[in-house]
Amino acid sequence: MEILILHGPNLNLLGKREPGIYGTTTLEQINQILEADGKILDTTVTCRQSNHEGELIDRIHACPGKYDGIVINAGAYTHTSIAIRDAIAAVNVPTVEVHLSNLHKREEFRHRSLIAAVCIGQICGFGIESYRLGLQALVTYLKK
Amino acid sequence: MEILILHGPNLNLLGKREPGIYGTTTLEQINQILEADGKILDTTVTCRQSNHEGELIDRIHACPGKYDGIVINAGAYTHTSIAIRDAIAAVNVPTVEVHLSNLHKREEFRHRSLIAAVCIGQICGFGIESYRLGLQALVTYLKK
Amino acid sequence: MEILILHGPNLNLLGKREPGIYGTTTLEQINQILEADGKILDTTVTCRQSNHEGELIDRIHACPGKYDGIVINAGAYTHTSIAIRDAIAAVNVPTVEVHLSNLHKREEFRHRSLIAAVCIGQICGFGIESYRLGLQALVTYLKK
Amino acid sequence: MEILILHGPNLNLLGKREPGIYGTTTLEQINQILEADGKILDTTVTCRQSNHEGELIDRIHACPGKYDGIVINAGAYTHTSIAIRDAIAAVNVPTVEVHLSNLHKREEFRHRSLIAAVCIGQICGFGIESYRLGLQALVTYLKK
Amino acid sequence: MEILILHGPNLNLLGKREPGIYGTTTLEQINQILEADGKILDTTVTCRQSNHEGELIDRIHACPGKYDGIVINAGAYTHTSIAIRDAIAAVNVPTVEVHLSNLHKREEFRHRSLIAAVCIGQICGFGIESYRLGLQALVTYLKK
Amino acid sequence: MEILILHGPNLNLLGKREPGIYGTTTLEQINQILEADGKILDTTVTCRQSNHEGELIDRIHACPGKYDGIVINAGAYTHTSIAIRDAIAAVNVPTVEVHLSNLHKREEFRHRSLIAAVCIGQICGFGIESYRLGLQALVTYLKK
Amino acid sequence: MEILILHGPNLNLLGKREPGIYGTTTLEQINQILEADGKILDTTVTCRQSNHEGELIDRIHACPGKYDGIVINAGAYTHTSIAIRDAIAAVNVPTVEVHLSNLHKREEFRHRSLIAAVCIGQICGFGIESYRLGLQALVTYLKK
Amino acid sequence: MEILILHGPNLNLLGKREPGIYGTTTLEQINQILEADGKILDTTVTCRQSNHEGELIDRIHACPGKYDGIVINAGAYTHTSIAIRDAIAAVNVPTVEVHLSNLHKREEFRHRSLIAAVCIGQICGFGIESYRLGLQALVTYLKK
Amino acid sequence: MEILILHGPNLNLLGKREPGIYGTTTLEQINQILEADGKILDTTVTCRQSNHEGELIDRIHACPGKYDGIVINAGAYTHTSIAIRDAIAAVNVPTVEVHLSNLHKREEFRHRSLIAAVCIGQICGFGIESYRLGLQALVTYLKK
Amino acid sequence: MEILILHGPNLNLLGKREPGIYGTTTLEQINQILEADGKILDTTVTCRQSNHEGELIDRIHACPGKYDGIVINAGAYTHTSIAIRDAIAAVNVPTVEVHLSNLHKREEFRHRSLIAAVCIGQICGFGIESYRLGLQALVTYLKK
Amino acid sequence: MEILILHGPNLNLLGKREPGIYGTTTLEQINQILEADGKILDTTVTCRQSNHEGELIDRIHACPGKYDGIVINAGAYTHTSIAIRDAIAAVNVPTVEVHLSNLHKREEFRHRSLIAAVCIGQICGFGIESYRLGLQALVTYLKK
Amino acid sequence: MEILILHGPNLNLLGKREPGIYGTTTLEQINQILEADGKILDTTVTCRQSNHEGELIDRIHACPGKYDGIVINAGAYTHTSIAIRDAIAAVNVPTVEVHLSNLHKREEFRHRSLIAAVCIGQICGFGIESYRLGLQALVTYLKK
């Protein structure tokens, strides 16, 4: 099984910014953990990050025939990008939405996800574990 | 470790109602799966269900000193009960919010969770797996 | 045919409170009228009242296999209870919504019914006659 | 007793349009059923339909001294016509509002009735039976 | 000078309905007063009433070349008719908006006038005097 | 093929009002252009205008069996008439919505079309060309 | 009869500011015209202006026993001052609200009048004539 | 005089939860203070707490003939329970609403009280003193 | 201890206006009652009233070093004055907000208090007793 | 004449995704049809697609001096991109907005177009024909 | 050149209140800095402060012929005073709006400025520097 | 000191588009002015522009360790980009927001800045001077 982990804007700064809040684990380290998790789940995990909405869309478009599922943390685009929503709906590749922080504890404008309605489900608030649970949920879903 | 799984209103009907949508797994069977999961995670899992908002609050109140964490599916009370929110905030026992369905695909009034902001995180849309992921997330959280 | 008449919060006070507005007919007398109506319609009518949202849900859950239909006056819960809505939707027993007063003549927050969309229809504004018309409408519906 | 049944816009198409949804009973047949019901209730029933807001208002104005009550299905004007509301309020003839479909299951803009607050009560969702129950409710009301 | 007084829906009932509120002066008597006022102002006053939005529009369309100004009480259409607004804007005949009652003391939905922005000004709350003041204001305006 | 062109309120004034904005082409001339276009498209074009909401509904009702499609410019009723929407939905005759001006450049209340959702599509902003494009789009649609 | 004309904030600039819009008549000249009108109406007219909300309230408080009625142009305070509204309601002196410009042609926040509901009626859009009509309307009202 | 002090959801945790915020006084101690206050005011004070909306309603229903007044802290139900509002309105026993915290300093959804409009008055923000002031206010009210 | 009682706009009319509603007690008499209450509480009470927002701000500014606390009834400014809110926040003198009437029974625009969030607490609905309870609450607060 | 056809996000998937809904015509085939249409209209048609908001802006900036007009289907950016709106407004090249689907039949958030107000007009709902009509409308516009 | 610096409500407390937030510079010291800045810019700077909305309006009215421009920090009146807005618009003296704090980091109700639309521009968030930059911006503007 | 001037979408067109409104100064010329200003302020100024949201984010990410501060004119992204907001918040480099035009005089949707709350302050409305003032404000801020 092939899974794409797609990280949205500003996530490249993980472990480098505000370590007091987000910890000192870098995005690279998260990717390594997810790749290791993938091996246990008999799954090849590929990780990509971009700050560009268009590039995220391009990557989603490239999924059919190449990946069996997507775990996406669309970052701030979660709340503003109908285009990413349409991309996920169009390619019809099972997608799980994850977030490091609990969006509901933050500003009002982060409470609405434009992409949630086209994903299988949503996991938020568990830090790095959100990604790991998302990967696991997706693999379980695909095996059914 | 001791974990309480708290099921809210109408969840007692699981497996009995609308099997076309919700499958044929009953709440009892879900509870057995979660108890089994608990054993693997070295955790005692106790499951309770109630259709009464007040009883759910009473049960949350009874947690401190007895349970290390709560996995709650507050059902429809998720969207209407500030009292359950206050109960979770008051007892200060780590709590994970789960939902069987993806709330964001349903009616507008199910998009807002009144309890999310006082929980660690939220998992929705994965059917029974939402509970299992929630239990796992909670145990990981408590072990840190 | 078996019909459950379900009275929600504060309706136990009928005939005792504000007789100038609601008349002097008590809930018991209403129930007797409905039972008599039932006989004419070849139907057994059972009447229950509760001020507890959870108890109303429990009663709705107990309907399948026991009652062929429900006439419900959910009182103030009409405007606040998604849980009762879900209960009605789940048991899949034909339900008619009735109200003594014309909700549209009252406060703004009484204009929205959360349960109307899962009922066959709604009757309001005719005092005790709302119940009688609702019973009759339900029996006609069930006979088809 | 003299009762006017007033049908609003598009109701002349009944039985001819979308029979899958509305059945094959025509407006004429509904009128015959209501006239027959009237006889049983010792009441002369007169039925009128118009697609013109102004004509509906004219007909309401003509009621005092001629009709003892009105059963109105204002169709789409229910949600947009303050003028019909004012007409009903002005003539002071007891009026019952009926609808074939359950408005609460339809588009948001059909949830608000501008005329409900000046009617005795509202009945919706029971198909043709809505009219019959409305007629019966009105006669009961007038006899008191 | 030629002035058209245009009365909207339900105003034909004046003096006949709710005399406790609106007094016993009929529309005909108001028209006679306005015609008399016209004579003093050296102006021919013509009065028309209709309950039909379309007819009111037709009458407004017929104004250019025939009337120098319009005094309109659009009744309930004030709050719902963009079509009447467009008609007034199109014919480009100076128009004054009047209302018998003070709209701001009534229901929220009567606070917004869709036609006010295309009229010279608005006068409301003075009963019959609203018409008389409106006629006078229009004549003064036209003389400048 | 038979097509009905239906013009709503105030459009009879075209070419006569505000020539600076709307040009000097009258409605009659537009109709002649559309009839000529019809001939090229092998289609009989019939044009009707009314300022009366009810008459527009009557005309829509008369379409089945007589016209294969409708091009409608509902004018101001576009934003206020649920009744016209229901009429179009009921007769089930393919309908194209057109507007002379670009509604999105005008007042906020002209941005919402109540009839768009029951039409094939919408064309606005091209002046007389809107009608011509609408006619062409409808014929293309009907030929498929 | 004694009438107070109360001018609110910025009206002291009349005739001095933006003469292209408001003309060259100063507030003093308006006051002279109103005093002259008063004489014809057998009424003593007193005029006061203030830019201070508190002073306007003080002046309203001083009315009972001294003035039979008030014509008020509260300027911008019309839209923001609940305190002036309460003052008018408290003293119970008949009050007419006037405005030079047609508020409905201006910014959205000028469409709502906080004081209209405690006045007899409102006149706006006629320039200086708004005051004259207001004075006349008030005198007519008081004579009844 | 007999007064009922009614404590709503989560108030049983007082003194046990978040002592840093709410202090270490338990609900029992508060009740003792209020009973002592009652003696000074020549009043018997009875205290009840429940986390169940239905039970709070039941207790309010039991008041007539037994209690002369109610001091209620409805906790989170203040913002969500129309049923408790209706209960207070129905029994017609003078009621004072109190809150420990200043609701206006907290989340937006705590700013609206559904029960305030059916109570004599509201006291919030003074901690335990809110109850004591409420009791005193009620006794003063009843003595008049 | 020194306490300032600050009365906002229109409160100078107390006892003089609408005695049917507000009673016949004048502001002066209220002040005497509060001064007497002060003596019992070992507190000097000073009372000031103004209809001017600016003067109320000036008085609040003058408090530090002179008064230990403020009891304020800001009248209509409660709902419109951010400036008074800022003044209270700036001087950092403990302040209690009081109102004669129960704001929640009145117009929607009186339900929001702009100053409540910078006060200790709020008391409304008890007539003159609101002031007395507020004074008592403030003294209790200051003694702690 | 030179025309740029600009396709926004996800339109590169046309003919490849959801053929049941969008048909099997690919974007390339659409472009060929439009180029052929262009020849008939004596116009050179150039087609570009991008999923990147910034690239779409860059392309619009490159238009002056190179293209006489633009036909744009901005896809999901229609509803979220003020930047594209500003780009169209800035270059001042006549632009026509087109959409394959009827936006008014879809989710609420697709009903508002941020770019419509800076385009000549809008065409939506006719599938591929929307582009062809748009091209034709633009050429007609440019020829005038 | 003559410039008026106008300080609104509560700014007289600067340097005296909350020094932890606003620093220890008093309003007098700010004025001295601005006067010194003025000298460098070849400009006479006059500074005035008032807590009274009416006085601020009076001062703005006095500007024409005396001052070439205004730098205004309207404090809390920024968000509530349409009257100050109208005063600035009326006198037509170039005005720059400044604020010490960054309004966008504060409460929602401070995000809207009623006066911004009638000023040249707005500067906020730089503490005392906001005034200095505002003065400089105004002088640069006037020199052009 | 090193400062980055970041220009958002469409600003590359400056001096080329709408010279009547924006003047004939090109972006390059603005940059030269700012670089010259930088020299006077002992600061190296680097200028970058992009129409791509992602590229703006990339540039902000590259700032730490390279630039001491940012002056940003995010153009239309000001109102739609949470991602740019998050980037500024993440890198923790002091940032000043500037705009050429006074946003408050333009469309409603330009009144809200999503990035203002994470910047030091905001300057708008002074044309090119907005940048110069912003640069100066930033340098002053950094020197403290």
Short mmCIF file of all heavy atoms in Angstrom, two decimals, chain B residues 9-13 17-18 49 51-53 75-77 79-80 106-107 109-110, chain C residues 52-55 57-58 61 80-87 89-91 112 114:
data_model
loop_
_atom_site.label_atom_id
_atom_site.label_comp_id
_atom_site.label_asym_id
_atom_site.label_seq_id
_atom_site.Cartn_x
_atom_site.Cartn_y
_atom_site.Cartn_z
N PRO B 9 -26.49 10.03 24.16
CA PRO B 9 -27.85 9.66 23.77
C PRO B 9 -27.94 8.92 22.44
O PRO B 9 -27.22 9.24 21.50
CB PRO B 9 -28.57 11.01 23.69
CG PRO B 9 -27.50 12.01 23.48
CD PRO B 9 -26.31 11.49 24.22
N ASN B 10 -28.82 7.95 22.40
CA ASN B 10 -29.17 7.18 21.20
C ASN B 10 -28.12 6.14 20.80
O ASN B 10 -28.39 5.32 19.93
CB ASN B 10 -29.46 8.11 20.00
CG ASN B 10 -30.68 9.00 20.25
OD1 ASN B 10 -31.75 8.49 20.56
ND2 ASN B 10 -30.50 10.30 20.14
N LEU B 11 -26.96 6.14 21.46
CA LEU B 11 -25.92 5.20 21.06
C LEU B 11 -26.25 3.78 21.50
O LEU B 11 -25.71 2.83 20.94
CB LEU B 11 -24.55 5.66 21.58
CG LEU B 11 -24.08 6.93 20.84
CD1 LEU B 11 -22.97 7.63 21.59
CD2 LEU B 11 -23.63 6.59 19.42
N ASN B 12 -27.15 3.63 22.47
CA ASN B 12 -27.62 2.30 22.85
C ASN B 12 -28.32 1.59 21.71
O ASN B 12 -28.45 0.37 21.70
CB ASN B 12 -28.58 2.40 24.05
CG ASN B 12 -29.70 3.40 23.81
OD1 ASN B 12 -29.45 4.50 23.31
ND2 ASN B 12 -30.92 3.02 24.14
N LEU B 13 -28.75 2.34 20.71
CA LEU B 13 -29.47 1.74 19.58
C LEU B 13 -28.53 1.19 18.51
O LEU B 13 -28.98 0.56 17.56
CB LEU B 13 -30.40 2.77 18.93
CG LEU B 13 -31.53 3.31 19.79
CD1 LEU B 13 -32.39 4.26 18.97
CD2 LEU B 13 -32.40 2.18 20.33
N ARG B 17 -30.45 0.00 14.91
CA ARG B 17 -31.14 0.95 14.04
C ARG B 17 -30.33 1.16 12.75
O ARG B 17 -29.11 1.09 12.76
CB ARG B 17 -31.31 2.29 14.75
CG ARG B 17 -30.01 3.00 14.99
CD ARG B 17 -30.18 4.48 15.34
NE ARG B 17 -28.87 5.07 15.56
CZ ARG B 17 -28.66 6.35 15.87
NH1 ARG B 17 -29.69 7.14 16.05
NH2 ARG B 17 -27.45 6.82 16.04
N GLU B 18 -31.03 1.43 11.71
CA GLU B 18 -30.43 1.79 10.44
C GLU B 18 -29.14 1.02 10.15
O GLU B 18 -28.08 1.62 9.92
CB GLU B 18 -30.16 3.30 10.41
CG GLU B 18 -31.43 4.11 10.63
CD GLU B 18 -31.14 5.56 11.00
OE1 GLU B 18 -30.95 5.82 12.20
OE2 GLU B 18 -31.10 6.41 10.10
N GLN B 49 -23.29 4.00 29.14
CA GLN B 49 -24.11 4.77 28.19
C GLN B 49 -25.29 5.38 28.93
O GLN B 49 -25.81 4.78 29.86
CB GLN B 49 -24.62 3.86 27.06
CG GLN B 49 -25.27 4.58 25.89
CD GLN B 49 -26.76 4.85 26.08
OE1 GLN B 49 -27.43 4.18 26.86
NE2 GLN B 49 -27.28 5.85 25.40
N ASN B 51 -28.86 8.14 28.05
CA ASN B 51 -29.58 9.12 27.24
C ASN B 51 -29.84 10.40 28.03
O ASN B 51 -30.40 11.35 27.49
CB ASN B 51 -30.91 8.53 26.76
CG ASN B 51 -30.71 7.37 25.80
OD1 ASN B 51 -29.80 7.39 24.98
ND2 ASN B 51 -31.53 6.33 25.93
N HIS B 52 -29.44 10.41 29.31
CA HIS B 52 -29.75 11.52 30.21
C HIS B 52 -28.53 12.43 30.36
O HIS B 52 -27.48 11.99 30.83
CB HIS B 52 -30.17 11.01 31.58
CG HIS B 52 -31.42 10.19 31.55
ND1 HIS B 52 -32.59 10.57 32.14
CD2 HIS B 52 -31.69 9.00 30.96
CE1 HIS B 52 -33.53 9.65 31.94
NE2 HIS B 52 -33.00 8.67 31.22
N GLU B 53 -28.68 13.68 29.99
CA GLU B 53 -27.60 14.67 30.12
C GLU B 53 -27.09 14.69 31.57
O GLU B 53 -25.89 14.69 31.82
CB GLU B 53 -28.13 16.05 29.72
CG GLU B 53 -27.10 17.15 29.62
CD GLU B 53 -27.73 18.48 29.21
OE1 GLU B 53 -28.98 18.57 29.19
OE2 GLU B 53 -26.99 19.42 28.89
N GLY B 75 -22.73 12.29 21.55
CA GLY B 75 -23.88 12.27 20.63
C GLY B 75 -24.43 13.66 20.39
O GLY B 75 -23.67 14.62 20.25
N ALA B 76 -25.74 13.77 20.37
CA ALA B 76 -26.37 15.06 20.07
C ALA B 76 -26.08 16.11 21.13
O ALA B 76 -26.13 17.31 20.85
CB ALA B 76 -27.89 14.87 19.94
N TYR B 77 -25.75 15.68 22.35
CA TYR B 77 -25.44 16.67 23.40
C TYR B 77 -24.15 17.44 23.08
O TYR B 77 -23.91 18.51 23.64
CB TYR B 77 -25.33 16.01 24.77
CG TYR B 77 -26.64 15.49 25.29
CD1 TYR B 77 -26.71 14.31 26.03
CD2 TYR B 77 -27.83 16.18 25.06
CE1 TYR B 77 -27.93 13.81 26.51
CE2 TYR B 77 -29.05 15.70 25.54
CZ TYR B 77 -29.09 14.51 26.26
OH TYR B 77 -30.29 14.05 26.73
N HIS B 79 -23.60 19.18 20.70
CA HIS B 79 -23.93 20.46 20.07
C HIS B 79 -24.80 21.37 20.94
O HIS B 79 -25.04 22.51 20.59
CB HIS B 79 -24.63 20.21 18.74
CG HIS B 79 -24.03 19.09 17.98
ND1 HIS B 79 -22.73 19.14 17.53
CD2 HIS B 79 -24.49 17.86 17.63
CE1 HIS B 79 -22.45 17.99 16.91
NE2 HIS B 79 -23.49 17.21 16.97
N THR B 80 -25.31 20.82 22.05
CA THR B 80 -26.26 21.61 22.85
C THR B 80 -25.90 21.72 24.33
O THR B 80 -26.48 22.53 25.03
CB THR B 80 -27.68 21.00 22.77
OG1 THR B 80 -27.65 19.67 23.30
CG2 THR B 80 -28.19 20.96 21.34
N ARG B 106 -22.63 16.47 7.70
CA ARG B 106 -24.04 16.45 8.10
C ARG B 106 -24.62 17.87 8.26
O ARG B 106 -24.05 18.83 7.79
CB ARG B 106 -24.17 15.64 9.39
CG ARG B 106 -23.58 14.22 9.20
CD ARG B 106 -23.68 13.38 10.44
NE ARG B 106 -25.08 13.08 10.76
CZ ARG B 106 -25.48 12.49 11.86
NH1 ARG B 106 -24.57 12.12 12.76
NH2 ARG B 106 -26.75 12.26 12.10
N GLU B 107 -25.78 17.99 8.91
CA GLU B 107 -26.46 19.29 9.02
C GLU B 107 -25.54 20.33 9.67
O GLU B 107 -24.76 20.01 10.57
CB GLU B 107 -27.73 19.19 9.88
CG GLU B 107 -28.78 18.24 9.38
CD GLU B 107 -28.65 16.89 10.07
OE1 GLU B 107 -27.52 16.50 10.43
OE2 GLU B 107 -29.69 16.22 10.25
N PHE B 109 -26.03 22.38 11.98
CA PHE B 109 -26.04 22.46 13.45
C PHE B 109 -25.19 21.38 14.12
O PHE B 109 -25.03 21.38 15.33
CB PHE B 109 -27.47 22.48 14.02
CG PHE B 109 -28.31 21.27 13.71
CD1 PHE B 109 -28.09 20.05 14.32
CD2 PHE B 109 -29.35 21.37 12.78
CE1 PHE B 109 -28.87 18.94 14.03
CE2 PHE B 109 -30.14 20.28 12.48
CZ PHE B 109 -29.90 19.05 13.11
N ARG B 110 -24.67 20.44 13.35
CA ARG B 110 -23.75 19.44 13.92
C ARG B 110 -22.29 19.82 13.71
O ARG B 110 -21.39 19.06 14.08
CB ARG B 110 -24.01 18.05 13.29
CG ARG B 110 -25.35 17.46 13.67
CD ARG B 110 -25.45 15.99 13.28
NE ARG B 110 -26.80 15.62 12.97
CZ ARG B 110 -27.70 15.16 13.86
NH1 ARG B 110 -27.35 14.99 15.10
NH2 ARG B 110 -28.92 14.86 13.49
N HIS C 52 -38.10 15.19 31.80
CA HIS C 52 -36.70 14.79 31.59
C HIS C 52 -36.45 14.45 30.12
O HIS C 52 -37.05 13.53 29.58
CB HIS C 52 -36.36 13.58 32.46
CG HIS C 52 -36.49 13.85 33.92
ND1 HIS C 52 -35.40 13.86 34.77
CD2 HIS C 52 -37.56 14.15 34.70
CE1 HIS C 52 -35.81 14.13 36.01
NE2 HIS C 52 -37.12 14.31 35.99
N GLU C 53 -35.54 15.18 29.49
CA GLU C 53 -35.18 14.94 28.09
C GLU C 53 -34.78 13.46 27.91
O GLU C 53 -35.21 12.79 26.97
CB GLU C 53 -34.01 15.85 27.71
CG GLU C 53 -33.64 15.85 26.25
CD GLU C 53 -32.48 16.82 25.97
OE1 GLU C 53 -31.87 17.31 26.95
OE2 GLU C 53 -32.18 17.09 24.80
N GLY C 54 -33.97 12.95 28.84
CA GLY C 54 -33.47 11.57 28.73
C GLY C 54 -34.60 10.56 28.80
O GLY C 54 -34.59 9.54 28.09
N GLU C 55 -35.59 10.84 29.64
CA GLU C 55 -36.70 9.90 29.79
C GLU C 55 -37.56 9.90 28.51
O GLU C 55 -38.07 8.85 28.10
CB GLU C 55 -37.54 10.31 31.00
CG GLU C 55 -38.43 9.17 31.49
CD GLU C 55 -39.10 9.51 32.81
OE1 GLU C 55 -38.40 10.09 33.70
OE2 GLU C 55 -40.30 9.24 32.95
N ILE C 57 -36.43 10.39 25.57
CA ILE C 57 -35.65 9.60 24.62
C ILE C 57 -35.82 8.11 24.92
O ILE C 57 -36.07 7.30 24.01
CB ILE C 57 -34.16 10.00 24.69
CG1 ILE C 57 -33.99 11.45 24.22
CG2 ILE C 57 -33.29 9.07 23.85
CD1 ILE C 57 -32.62 12.06 24.53
N ASP C 58 -35.71 7.73 26.17
CA ASP C 58 -35.90 6.33 26.56
C ASP C 58 -37.26 5.82 26.07
O ASP C 58 -37.38 4.72 25.55
CB ASP C 58 -35.84 6.18 28.10
CG ASP C 58 -34.42 6.36 28.64
OD1 ASP C 58 -33.46 6.34 27.85
OD2 ASP C 58 -34.29 6.53 29.87
N HIS C 61 -37.29 5.27 22.39
CA HIS C 61 -36.53 4.04 22.08
C HIS C 61 -37.36 2.78 22.31
O HIS C 61 -37.18 1.78 21.62
CB HIS C 61 -35.28 3.96 22.97
CG HIS C 61 -34.20 4.91 22.56
ND1 HIS C 61 -32.96 4.95 23.16
CD2 HIS C 61 -34.16 5.87 21.61
CE1 HIS C 61 -32.22 5.89 22.60
NE2 HIS C 61 -32.93 6.46 21.66
N THR C 80 -34.70 22.95 21.47
CA THR C 80 -33.32 22.79 21.96
C THR C 80 -32.76 21.37 21.86
O THR C 80 -31.56 21.18 22.01
CB THR C 80 -33.21 23.21 23.45
OG1 THR C 80 -34.05 22.36 24.25
CG2 THR C 80 -33.62 24.66 23.64
N SER C 81 -33.59 20.36 21.60
CA SER C 81 -33.10 18.98 21.73
C SER C 81 -32.83 18.30 20.39
O SER C 81 -33.75 17.78 19.73
CB SER C 81 -34.10 18.15 22.53
OG SER C 81 -33.65 16.82 22.59
N ILE C 82 -31.56 18.24 20.03
CA ILE C 82 -31.17 17.45 18.86
C ILE C 82 -31.24 15.96 19.23
O ILE C 82 -31.47 15.12 18.38
CB ILE C 82 -29.75 17.84 18.40
CG1 ILE C 82 -29.70 19.33 18.04
CG2 ILE C 82 -29.30 17.00 17.21
CD1 ILE C 82 -28.31 19.85 17.70
N ALA C 83 -31.08 15.66 20.49
CA ALA C 83 -31.10 14.27 20.95
C ALA C 83 -32.47 13.63 20.73
O ALA C 83 -32.57 12.46 20.32
CB ALA C 83 -30.69 14.19 22.42
N ILE C 84 -33.55 14.37 21.00
CA ILE C 84 -34.89 13.84 20.75
C ILE C 84 -35.10 13.68 19.25
O ILE C 84 -35.66 12.68 18.79
CB ILE C 84 -35.97 14.75 21.39
CG1 ILE C 84 -35.88 14.68 22.92
CG2 ILE C 84 -37.38 14.34 20.92
CD1 ILE C 84 -36.87 15.56 23.67
N ARG C 85 -34.62 14.63 18.47
CA ARG C 85 -34.69 14.52 17.01
C ARG C 85 -34.03 13.22 16.55
O ARG C 85 -34.60 12.46 15.76
CB ARG C 85 -33.95 15.70 16.39
CG ARG C 85 -33.80 15.64 14.88
CD ARG C 85 -32.70 16.61 14.40
NE ARG C 85 -32.57 16.64 12.97
CZ ARG C 85 -32.97 17.64 12.18
NH1 ARG C 85 -33.54 18.67 12.71
NH2 ARG C 85 -32.82 17.58 10.88
N ASP C 86 -32.83 12.97 17.06
CA ASP C 86 -32.10 11.77 16.66
C ASP C 86 -32.84 10.50 17.09
O ASP C 86 -32.84 9.50 16.37
CB ASP C 86 -30.69 11.79 17.27
CG ASP C 86 -29.78 12.78 16.56
OD1 ASP C 86 -30.22 13.40 15.58
OD2 ASP C 86 -28.63 12.94 16.99
N ALA C 87 -33.46 10.55 18.26
CA ALA C 87 -34.20 9.38 18.75
C ALA C 87 -35.36 9.05 17.80
O ALA C 87 -35.55 7.90 17.42
CB ALA C 87 -34.72 9.63 20.16
N ALA C 89 -35.66 9.91 14.66
CA ALA C 89 -35.11 9.45 13.38
C ALA C 89 -34.63 8.00 13.48
O ALA C 89 -34.79 7.21 12.54
CB ALA C 89 -33.96 10.36 12.95
N ALA C 90 -34.09 7.65 14.63
CA ALA C 90 -33.48 6.32 14.79
C ALA C 90 -34.52 5.20 14.86
O ALA C 90 -34.37 4.16 14.22
CB ALA C 90 -32.61 6.29 16.04
N VAL C 91 -35.58 5.41 15.64
CA VAL C 91 -36.54 4.31 15.84
C VAL C 91 -37.42 4.11 14.61
O VAL C 91 -38.03 3.05 14.45
CB VAL C 91 -37.44 4.53 17.07
CG1 VAL C 91 -36.59 4.57 18.33
CG2 VAL C 91 -38.27 5.80 16.95
N ARG C 112 -38.36 28.00 15.62
CA ARG C 112 -37.61 26.91 15.01
C ARG C 112 -37.86 25.60 15.76
O ARG C 112 -37.69 25.52 16.96
CB ARG C 112 -36.12 27.22 15.04
CG ARG C 112 -35.28 26.18 14.30
CD ARG C 112 -33.80 26.50 14.38
NE ARG C 112 -33.33 26.36 15.77
CZ ARG C 112 -32.11 25.94 16.09
NH1 ARG C 112 -31.24 25.65 15.16
NH2 ARG C 112 -31.75 25.86 17.36
N LEU C 114 -36.59 21.80 16.11
CA LEU C 114 -35.50 20.89 15.73
C LEU C 114 -36.02 19.51 15.36
O LEU C 114 -35.31 18.74 14.72
CB LEU C 114 -34.49 20.77 16.89
CG LEU C 114 -33.53 21.94 17.03
CD1 LEU C 114 -32.77 21.86 18.34
CD2 LEU C 114 -32.55 21.97 15.86
#
